[in-house]
Amino acid sequence: MAEGHFEPPLASLSFSHVYYNPDDPVSLLCAWLALLPQALGVSYATLVIAQREIEVLLMFAGQLFCEAVNWVLKRYFKHGRPKQMNGKGYGMPSSHAQFMAFFAVYFSLWIHRRSKGFSRVVRWALSSGILAASAAVALSRIYLSYHTVGQVACGYFVGVLFALVWFLVTAWMRVTDLGGKGGMLDWITGGRRLWELVMWIGGLGYVKDLCTEVDIVRWEWEVWRRGALGIADGAKILQEERKKI
């Protein structure tokens, strides 16, 4: 290094950086669990780009709003992390617990109330497994000393509450007559109901609303199978799938 030249110390990108005890298998497991929200973020992005389903977009939007709420709450409470923790930033509420609570509760509500693609047994198995995984992630934050019990409990509570509110909001968006009734709002929505406006905007990016009507995996397979046989008719297949619900 040349004389008089100063190089700043290297920093760590803490987005995926987790401290754990290498001699403790449970600590290692907790470190992997801490990466689950990042994995779900990648899954969100993949589904949004590949499937372009409005329900996925709405859930992703709710997840982002929930993260924004966490950012605001942390700066409102300004509550420090446990003293034995080497990380930075505020600890109240736990963002990991809040993220996973929102995902688990919203997904469970969606799979039981809106999804047409799973049997009753599969629905209960999936929702139970995801709720258990969310609880494991929340507990891992305590085990790794990233948060106190109170910070994790607060984060989980906020995540559950926001999931319930957002699910009701998205349900209301589908049925409300808001818009299309004249006045200033009618001018803003172009004479469309709120949901019609949402789908019109989504249509610019080829967004569809199929997973609440049919088993989308089977429907896509039927389109492919009939196309391979030379008898593809998407509208007819869609009508047949709707009759099975």
Side-chain angles (χ1 to χ4, degrees), residues 135-158:
V137 171
L139 292 173
S140 74
R141 306 306 287 170
I142 301 172
Y143 192 88
L144 293 174
S145 299
Y146 273 83
H147 292 282
T148 64
V149 174
Q151 291 170 351
V152 167
C154 179
Y156 207 89
F157 173 78
V158 173

Side-chain angles (χ1 to χ4, degrees), residues 16-124:
S16 59
H17 189 79
V18 184
Y19 288 101
Y20 72 97
N21 181 358
D23 296 325
D24 182 1
V26 176
S27 183
L28 175 60
L29 174 62
C30 289
W32 280 107
L33 287 172
L35 300 179
L36 192 53
Q38 286 92 322
L40 289 175
V42 174
S43 299
Y44 270 126
T46 302
L47 287 172
V48 166
I49 295 172
Q51 291 295 326
R52 309 205 179 197
E53 273 286 331
I54 187 64
E55 284 294 326
V56 177
L57 278 166
L58 289 174
M59 185 175 177
F60 189 32
Q63 192 82 70
L64 294 177
F65 282 136
C66 189
E67 286 296 288
V69 169
N70 181 269
W71 188 89
V72 172
L73 290 176
K74 280 188 173 180
R75 281 147 189 82
Y76 173 77
F77 290 117
K78 296 183 178 179
H79 197 282
R81 294 177 183 270
K83 293 182 179 180
Q84 63 270 35
M85 212 319 259
N86 296 317
K88 301 178 181 179
Y90 300 120
M92 173 73 85
S94 166
S95 57
H96 277 72
Q98 187 171 323
F99 185 104
M100 292 304 301
F102 175 90
F103 177 83
V105 173
Y106 190 96
F107 181 84
S108 296
L109 289 171
W110 179 83
I111 202 172
H112 285 286
R113 303 295 298 177
R114 295 181 190 167
S115 173
K116 306 298 180 183
F118 303 95
S119 66
R120 182 184 296 272
V121 174
V122 173
R123 290 178 187 179
W124 280 107

